[in-house]
Amino acid sequence: MQISVKLKRLSRLPFHAGAELAECSYAGLQTLIIDADEAELDRLEQTTDYQQLNLSLWQATFTDAEQLSPALQPLVNGMPLVRVCGEVVARLGAYQLLLKLADHPQPLHLWCEQVSMVGIGQRLCLQGELHATLPD
């Protein structure tokens, strides 16, 4: 899943950065984790233009869609640990899925330990860490 963002601020660690987003093509998303080398992070810090990022959900675990009050959803969307619901469109290996979200044309790549229990076309709700990388 690819999105377009304008960065507000980066909080850097080696090969990772917490990013506050000034603007984002995916409504409601305010923060995420960017995985990049130091040169890529330097370039991101120096630009004021929109950047394309590839999103994936790491350490995804199953969750109950009914547990979260709709009033709290905007707050959860603003945190690196996010909840998503969608339909499984592909299994990419022992630990990877593609999940089609209702509000985005591209599927979201998930890293999940319970892939063997999931079938194509199954509707799932998961939560995990939202990570982004720069496109190749």
Side-chain angles (χ1 to χ4, degrees):
M1 181 172 153
Q2 194 170 76
I3 61 169
S4 180
V5 301
K6 261 193 179 181
L7 299 176
K8 183 176 186 178
R9 182 174 54 175
L10 284 180
S11 300
R12 288 178 64 165
L13 294 171
F15 302 103
H16 304 289
E20 271 186 69
L21 307 179
E23 297 178 34
C24 181
S25 64
Y26 191 78
L29 188 60
Q30 298 170 357
T31 62
L32 51 79
I33 299 165
I34 298 176
D35 301 308
D37 67 30
E38 297 306 301
E40 290 171 324
L41 291 174
D42 288 342
R43 186 175 57 79
L44 284 173
E45 275 186 321
Q46 295 170 7
T47 187
T48 57
D49 295 333
Y50 278 93
Q51 297 293 313
Q52 295 294 113
L53 297 174
N54 293 325
L55 291 184
S56 60
L57 195 69
W58 293 18
Q59 300 177 8
T61 57
F62 297 111
T63 184
D64 181 2
E66 304 305 317
Q67 288 177 340
L68 188 64
S69 162
L72 295 177
Q73 189 65 49
L75 295 173
V76 173
N77 285 345
M79 300 169 63
L81 185 64
V82 297
R83 297 169 61 98
V84 295
C85 292
E87 181 181 323
V88 176
V89 293
R91 286 173 44 175
L92 303 177
Y95 300 100
Q96 299 176 61
L97 296 171
L98 288 180
L99 192 70
K100 176 69 177 103
L101 307 179
D103 57 356
H104 200 276
Q106 297 173 327
L108 179 63
H109 186 193
L110 305 175
W111 294 84
C112 178
E113 290 189 17
Q114 299 109 339
V115 168
S116 63
M117 301 175 1
V118 175
I120 305 297
Q122 185 174 349
R123 183 146 176 81
L124 296 177
C125 291
L126 301 110
Q127 70 179 19
E129 295 176 3
L130 190 60
H131 285 248
T133 56
L134 295 165
D136 294 333

